[in-house]
Amino acid sequence: LDVARPDAPKPGAPVVLVLHGLNGGSAEAYVQDLVTHVTAKGGVACVLVARGLMATPVRDDLFHGGRTSDVAAAVDALRESYGDRIVLVGISMGGIVALNYTARAGKGCGLQACVALSGTTCSEVVLGPAGRRSRRLWQPMLAWYLKQSFLAPRRLLLRRRRVDETPVALAGTIDAFDATLVCPFHGYPGVAGPGGYYEDMSAAGSGDEN
């Protein structure tokens, strides 16, 4: 957790837990802008840096969007320090994780509010073949950055999990990266369908439930 405290704390002001976007961190401009606004109003802002990003030490595991236990641990720690005034704000991938955490935890989430910006409740629709525009406009660039963060720097860890690096290196979309690295690394059968990665990371599951 990266924590920013205000110069002039306001009693009772919310403590904002920020979940950054995919391949981001607390140094991102959009995160720092949010942190600046929170502290300017007397609140505390905390950024949960995803596993393996911003040179965080990783022994044997990496970030994946279906894990909500890190958020739960952060919420518990902040509640112990600041009481029941935690507001969760997730941006993009952080929004997906925030919605998923809140949906899973329900009344036991420990939050006063949850705000998701540009986060979907059904990743299979947005990141899969149905998301044609995103696959053309921004997924190739983000896939390239993901490979810079998770391929060469984590090579020994990937080999330990027997992840084949060749298809990962060729991945040009987010779902291709997830299918070739995230799924085999974390034991998912695939990105789509029952038990798939995108179902696990989405508050609405695969989106086909009645």
Side-chain angles (χ1 to χ4, degrees):
L1 280 174
D2 279 348
V3 181
R5 296 179 176 85
D7 294 330
K10 182 179 179 181
V15 175
V16 179
L17 175 59
V18 182
L19 307 183
H20 58 74
L22 191 61
N23 209 42
S26 58
E28 299 291 337
Y30 64 88
V31 173
Q32 293 190 353
D33 183 65
L34 176 58
V35 168
T36 297
H37 279 78
V38 171
T39 54
K41 294 181 179 296
V44 175
C46 307
V47 182
L48 177 59
V49 179
R51 298 187 187 203
L53 295 177
M54 295 191 71
T56 52
V58 174
R59 294 190 184 93
D60 60 0
D61 214 349
L62 294 171
F63 167 83
H64 73 83
R67 180 189 290 116
T68 58
S69 56
D70 289 350
V71 181
V75 170
D76 288 345
L78 292 175
R79 289 182 70 197
E80 186 175 342
S81 297
Y82 297 103
D84 291 322
R85 51 193 179 111
I86 313 302
V87 173
L88 182 62
V89 177
I91 304 163
S92 193
M93 173 56 82
I96 294 173
V97 176
L99 290 170
N100 199 19
Y101 165 74
T102 307
R104 290 187 180 198
K107 293 182 179 180
C109 66
L111 303 173
Q112 295 301 304
C114 174
V115 180
L117 305 172
S118 299
T120 179
T121 59
C122 184
S123 301
E124 194 167 325
V125 172
V126 175
L127 297 177
R132 294 183 184 89
R133 181 170 295 182
S134 70
R135 293 165 69 84
R136 186 178 72 252
L137 294 179
W138 56 262
Q139 285 198 39
M141 178 183 65
L142 188 49
W144 185 87
Y145 280 111
L146 284 169
K147 288 185 285 188
Q148 306 310 302
S149 295
F150 289 100
L151 195 53
R154 307 297 178 186
R155 181 157 284 134
L156 292 178
L157 189 55
L158 296 178
R159 289 176 178 172
R160 196 182 309 156
R161 295 285 183 97
R162 302 191 178 187
V163 175
D164 185 354
E165 298 174 37
T166 301
V168 180
L170 296 174
T173 60
I174 302 302
D175 62 330
F177 177 85
D178 290 338
T180 56
L181 190 150
V182 177
C183 289
F185 188 93
H186 294 286
Y188 288 102
V191 292
Y197 176 43
Y198 289 167
E199 180 182 64
D200 191 37
M201 68 184 270
S202 300
S206 59
D208 57 2
E209 293 87 351
N210 293 323

